[in-house]
Amino acid sequence: MSIVGKKFPSLDVDAMNDMGDTFKLNILDEAKNNNKKVLLFWYPKDFTFVCPTELHAFQEALSEFEKRNTIVIGASCDTPEVHFAWLNTSKDNGGIEGVTYPILADSNRNLSSTLGILDITNEKYNEETGVVTVDGDNVTYRATYLIDEEGTVFHEGVNHMPVGRNVAEFLRLIDAYAHVQKNGEVCPANWEEGKDAMSANRDGVASYMASH
């Protein structure tokens, strides 16, 4: 179920940073208490294939997110200890050494199950044994959430495991939402910073379409 337009769930989750510190992190509080936007991106597993390319891509763009008053946070269902091991593995060995933003360690799956982004199908309950089994790895898809300064989700998207994300698109979405917040205009298809937006009324769309 989509949570766009709703407050992000208020849950404390273990997190790890590049210094090896494990701490509790609440995404909703991060946005509201710091008066910042938050980009939260989930990936399936540490020590895999597409995942490190994404974590490095977000790191390379970190200064651009910071310019936009946006906190970047990664997340998976791995433990803090596994995160730290991956953070200490060099890039040329498939690691994420050099990543500085925090990474959630949702190993109990409290948040990912609340969001409904786990790779689970065919859940079955065995009445004799009381055991629940599922198909799938019970790890997250590549889900991404953009959250505003009030803790409200203004974008969510989910990619299947093999498909990596385009980091530039999230910068564009943040720019567009910031334009809406500041100017009260709406942003048409393929809008980018510096391009024309339009008033959210009949005259506005008529004027925009006539000139584009």
Side-chain angles (χ1 to χ4, degrees), residues 42-179:
W42 295 81
Y43 62 91
K45 298 177 185 178
D46 292 354
F47 292 99
T48 52
F49 317 113
V50 176
C51 297
T53 70
E54 292 193 311
L55 273 86
H56 284 296
F58 280 108
Q59 179 67 38
E60 289 168 7
L62 192 58
S63 62
E64 292 299 318
F65 286 105
E66 291 171 346
K67 288 177 186 176
R68 292 161 171 82
N69 196 43
T70 300
I71 300 168
V72 174
I73 299 171
S76 79
C77 296
D78 298 279
T79 65
E81 294 79 11
V82 176
H83 282 338
F84 190 54
W86 205 27
L87 283 161
N88 280 281
T89 302
S90 64
K91 185 176 181 180
D92 57 6
N93 280 320
I96 58 167
E97 186 178 32
V99 167
T100 60
Y101 49 81
I103 306 174
L104 296 186
D106 188 37
S107 55
N108 58 17
R109 291 160 172 75
N110 285 344
L111 182 54
S112 50
S113 61
T114 298
L115 295 170
I117 56 173
L118 290 167
D119 172 27
I120 296 174
T121 56
N122 297 326
E123 187 169 341
K124 301 171 185 175
Y125 175 71
N126 187 313
E127 293 185 359
E128 292 183 4
T129 63
V131 173
V132 177
T133 60
V134 298
D135 294 339
D137 285 343
N138 201 19
V139 297
T140 66
Y141 294 109
R142 301 187 191 281
T144 315
Y145 297 86
L146 293 176
I147 302 145
D148 71 15
E149 297 85 348
E150 299 299 320
T152 301
V153 177
F154 66 92
H155 167 83
E156 66 178 341
V158 183
N159 288 12
H160 205 350
M161 309 296 189
V163 182
R165 282 161 281 211
N166 183 338
V167 173
E169 172 62 3
F170 300 113
L171 293 169
R172 188 194 74 84
L173 288 167
I174 292 167
D175 286 342
Y177 194 74
H179 184 92

Side-chain angles (χ1 to χ4, degrees), residues 176-196:
Y177 194 74
H179 184 92
V180 172
Q181 289 176 307
K182 180 180 179 181
N183 299 292
E185 295 180 312
V186 294
C187 298
N190 300 321
W191 183 92
E192 294 176 343
E193 185 66 48
K195 290 187 176 181
D196 293 336

